[in-house]
Amino acid sequence: MTQAEIKLCSLLLQEHFGEIVEKIGVHLIRTGSQPLRVIAHDTGTSLDQVKKALCVLIQHNLVSYQVHKRGVVEYEAQCSRVLRMLRYPRYIYTTKTLYSDTGELIVEELLLNGKLTMSAVVKKVADRLTETMEDGKTMDYAEVSNTFVRLADTHFVQRCPSVPTTENSDPGPPPPAPTLVINEKDMYLVPKLSLIGKGKRRRSSDEDAAGEPKAKRPKHTTDKKEPIPDDGVYWQANLDRFHQHFRDQAIVSAVANRMDQTSSEIVRTMLRMSEITTSSSAPFTQPLSSNEIFRSLPVGYNISKQVLDQYLTLLADDPLEFVGKSGDSGGGMYVISILTTCHLLSSFLSRFGSRCARIFRLVLQKKHLEQKQVEDFAMIPAKEAKDMLYKMLSENFMSLQEIPKTPDHAPSRTFYLYTVNILSAARMLLHRCYKSIANLIERRQFETKENKRLLEKSQRVEAIIASMQATGAEEAQLQEIEEMITAPERQQLETLKRNVNKLDASEIQVDETIFLLESYIECTMKRQ
């Protein structure tokens, strides 16, 4: 765990959960697994606050616990899961593009709350959608339930581990902490619920049909609670499935840039066929026959079986190894290589330009090259090639290997070969990305803090205008309220908004690079 990762985790925890949770979370990240009282002692926090902070972190899957033989419960932070909070906007936006607003709000509620029952999610989402609709229109629970089922069928949401029922029947003292288990067959099994109803507007839920405020109702009406139909069956967002979707998108885009649109559509079809059967961390997809691929192509693609075989052969013979051939049965068995080096070249060398990218790719393919060979193969003038090689060498993208002809290592009798260690270059870039995104978050927080007074004033004015519009105020009155913010202040607000939007967009772009680098490192380590 590097200092850059710890700093980024600290910023994310503080931004999402506050100072106390951040202090406990960072302490666990630095020290590893620890029992409750040791955490309270080392952080100087009261036992009650530590318990509440751990509850929040466990609810959001940021901390796990383990019961040791002596009955001591130790808590351990999941740093990689903390860093996933950077990607929350991307998860939500992806669901919106695939499953419209309903799917977007379902995943948003699960990410905001960590774990929720299906019935609670459906009611929350239906209420939120009803709020945005015109008067007289409501969102039906059944429609939200159908979208939830679709998300579970495609594995974007999954069940949380729960306490087995047999554990409660055992005699003797209860364990110090429950053991949570889940059957893989039940992970995406949606309970059969008959949720009948429609979303409610907030203003109508505070008062009953007679207009009586909620606070004035008799107590016996509020004490009665309906039993929850799916009590104990909690759901969470399946982040690995989202990562698999992002990875597939990156592969399709890379194939389209390298080949053509038809090739990318063939690869997209192969990925769609194996998205459920292939693990999100697998280096290769499941083998697919040419006949299966042909039958699964989209209806609009009128290409013959012979043309498909030619495309598959072309993809398999490509040196970048997007597609590999694993057998000859069924017209030929093909697999897709997950995140080859090609997917990283653009993110590696966007800062150096196309000529540096050419040299880097050349050294990567040839393994070891002398400076003169680089100049000849890359067809770049000697002076430029030397500058580019030394620049990449100083940035640790390349390394220099000495092979002496004689034992004295005399420079005149030594070969100097340039080589690329792609794994160490990926790790170095990943470290830089963590530092960059931490700097972006700090800058955004500084910008917001510097203009805190102006932002609060703007929010107050907007609230006044909204309440006056609801009561039917005249245009002149609204104009008078708007003039409370002067022209220089309005200009300052516009500048702040523009700067914050740029910083937010930069965070998302850096996180896309982080995802590619992490995926590449993970796949490369599994292949070795």
Side-chain angles (χ1 to χ4, degrees):
M1 181 60 59
T2 63
Q3 288 299 317
E5 288 176 281
I6 293 172
K7 182 182 178 182
L8 182 54
C9 287
S10 172
L11 289 167
L12 289 169
L13 287 171
Q14 186 172 14
E15 190 171 36
H16 284 78
F17 304 111
E19 291 182 4
I20 296 173
V21 174
E22 180 263 337
K23 185 195 286 188
I24 304 301
V26 172
H27 174 73
L28 287 174
I29 289 170
R30 289 184 186 277
T31 59
S33 59
Q34 284 194 334
L36 178 66
R37 295 192 180 276
V38 175
I39 298 169
H41 177 268
D42 291 351
T43 57
T45 311
S46 69
L47 206 60
D48 187 49
Q49 285 183 325
V50 173
K51 286 179 181 178
K52 289 177 180 177
L54 287 172
C55 282
V56 170
L57 292 167
I58 291 170
Q59 172 73 12
H60 288 267
N61 302 311
L62 306 178
V63 163
S64 61
Y65 62 84
Q66 187 176 0
V67 184
H68 290 274
K69 290 181 179 178
R70 294 183 179 180
V72 178
V73 181
E74 289 194 349
Y75 300 89
E76 184 177 4
Q78 305 295 320
C79 182
S80 59
R81 188 62 175 75
V82 176
L83 294 172
R84 294 294 81 81
M85 288 195 287
L86 280 170
R87 222 160 281 157
Y88 279 8
R90 198 175 173 194
Y91 298 144
I92 295 167
Y93 179 73
T94 300
T95 320
K96 182 182 176 70
T97 56
L98 295 174
Y99 298 97
S100 72
D101 294 344
T102 309
E104 174 197 8
L105 291 181
I106 289 171
V107 171
E108 185 180 328
E109 286 292 339
L110 289 173
L111 292 174
L112 284 174
N113 294 280
K115 302 178 181 76
L116 278 176
T117 60
M118 178 180 169
S119 56
V121 172
V122 168
K123 288 172 184 175
K124 282 174 178 281
V125 171
D127 291 348
R128 287 181 62 181
L129 287 169
T130 302
E131 285 285 336
T132 60
M133 290 180 171
E134 299 174 3
D135 289 340
K137 291 185 178 180
T138 55
M139 173 58 68
D140 200 339
Y141 286 172
E143 193 173 336
V144 182
S145 297
N146 290 338
T147 306
F148 193 99
V149 171
R150 287 167 60 204
L151 283 165
D153 288 343
T154 50
H155 297 185
F156 281 104
V157 297
Q158 63 182 14
R159 279 194 187 191
C160 302
S162 57
V163 181
T165 52
T166 55
E167 200 172 284
N168 298 330
S169 60
D170 292 341
T179 303
L180 304 178
V181 294
I182 183 143
N183 190 346
E184 286 189 14
K185 293 180 180 178
D186 299 335
M187 195 172 284
Y188 307 103
L189 183 64
V190 180
K192 294 181 180 179
L193 303 176
S194 56
L195 295 173
I196 302 169
K198 296 185 177 181
K200 299 175 183 176
R201 298 182 188 275
R202 197 172 299 171
R203 61 174 180 269
S204 62
S205 64
D206 291 337
E207 298 182 4
D208 58 16
E212 185 182 0
K214 193 175 181 181
K216 292 184 179 180
R217 293 180 198 167
K219 285 187 178 180
H220 63 84
T221 59
T222 58
D223 290 338
K224 293 179 181 178
K225 291 184 179 179
E226 295 180 3
I228 301 171
D230 56 343
D231 190 19
V233 181
Y234 288 89
W235 293 81
Q236 62 187 354
N238 184 5
L239 304 190
D240 288 339
R241 178 67 182 87
F242 281 100
H243 294 167
Q244 186 180 350
H245 178 77
F246 299 155
R247 181 201 68 197
D248 292 352
Q249 296 282 72
I251 293 171
V252 171
S253 176
V255 173
N257 292 335
R258 173 75 175 174
M259 304 285 192
D260 61 1
Q261 196 62 38
T262 305
S263 300
S264 69
E265 194 59 44
I266 292 168
V267 170
R268 190 196 303 275
T269 303
M270 293 173 70
L271 289 168
R272 191 174 61 248
M273 291 169 68
S274 58
E275 64 183 359
I276 302 297
T277 57
T278 304
S279 168
S280 59
S281 57
F284 298 96
T285 60
Q286 293 293 327
L288 298 168
S289 70
S290 172
N291 295 331
E292 288 177 320
I293 298 167
F294 181 70
R295 286 194 298 269
S296 301
L297 281 172
V299 180
Y301 265 78
N302 297 320
I303 61 172
S304 64
K305 176 69 167 58
Q306 185 181 359
V307 173
L308 173 66
D309 289 338
Q310 289 174 352
Y311 267 107
L312 288 170
T313 305
L314 190 66
L315 285 163
D317 292 342
D318 191 272
L320 294 179
E321 301 175 345
F322 288 111
V323 175
K325 193 169 184 179
S326 62
D328 295 318
S329 59
M333 302 295 289
Y334 295 90
V335 297
I336 294 178
S337 177
I338 304 301
L339 283 172
T340 60
T341 310
C342 167
H343 307 137
L344 298 174
L345 289 176
S346 59
S347 57
F348 273 5
L349 298 166
S350 57
R351 61 190 292 174
F352 294 125
S354 59
R355 288 195 166 192
C356 273
R358 191 193 310 171
I359 292 173
F360 185 86
R361 191 181 292 112
L362 180 66
V363 176
L364 195 61
Q365 287 176 354
K366 300 290 185 181
K367 307 297 184 188
H368 298 87
L369 284 178
E370 288 186 278
Q371 184 176 311
K372 184 68 172 67
Q373 290 176 309
V374 172
E375 296 164 10
D376 295 340
F377 286 140
M379 294 183 288
I380 294 174
K383 186 175 182 301
E384 286 185 36
K386 186 188 295 184
D387 289 344
M388 291 173 186
L389 283 168
Y390 290 167
K391 189 176 180 182
M392 287 189 280
L393 190 64
S394 65
E395 295 274 356
N396 295 323
F397 279 98
M398 285 193 183
S399 56
L400 202 59
Q401 188 174 349
E402 297 180 6
I403 302 178
K405 294 179 185 177
T406 55
D408 59 355
H409 285 260
S412 59
R413 292 187 294 278
T414 302
F415 292 111
Y416 293 95
L417 301 179
Y418 287 94
T419 184
V420 173
N421 185 342
I422 192 75
L423 201 56
S424 86
R427 287 198 177 104
M428 177 197 65
L429 274 175
L430 185 60
H431 178 70
R432 288 186 185 178
C433 286
Y434 286 140
K435 289 179 73 174
S436 299
I437 213 159
N439 291 339
L440 286 167
I441 292 172
E442 284 186 324
R443 182 66 195 181
R444 175 166 52 78
Q445 290 177 348
F446 172 79
E447 290 278 350
T448 309
K449 189 177 179 182
E450 284 291 298
N451 297 277
K452 186 179 179 182
R453 184 197 62 81
L454 187 58
L455 285 170
E456 288 175 351
K457 181 181 177 181
S458 172
Q459 288 171 357
R460 285 197 302 271
V461 169
E462 286 175 2
I464 293 168
I465 291 172
S467 63
M468 290 180 70
Q469 283 176 338
T471 55
E474 295 179 1
E475 192 66 33
Q477 291 175 311
L478 296 174
Q479 188 70 27
E480 187 179 345
I481 299 297
E482 285 179 359
E483 288 173 0
M484 289 171 65
I485 299 178
T486 61
E489 286 178 333
R490 201 172 296 280
Q491 188 176 359
Q492 191 177 346
L493 277 171
E494 286 295 322
T495 305
L496 173 65
K497 187 178 178 182
R498 189 165 56 250
N499 291 342
V500 169
N501 286 342
K502 282 183 183 177
L503 291 167
D504 285 338
S506 300
E507 282 180 42
I508 293 169
Q509 287 174 351
V510 175
D511 181 62
E512 287 177 7
T513 306
I514 287 174
F515 170 73
L516 276 178
L517 293 169
E518 285 178 341
S519 302
Y520 178 78
I521 291 168
E522 184 182 356
C523 288
T524 306
M525 294 299 291
K526 289 198 173 185
R527 287 176 184 175
Q528 290 178 352

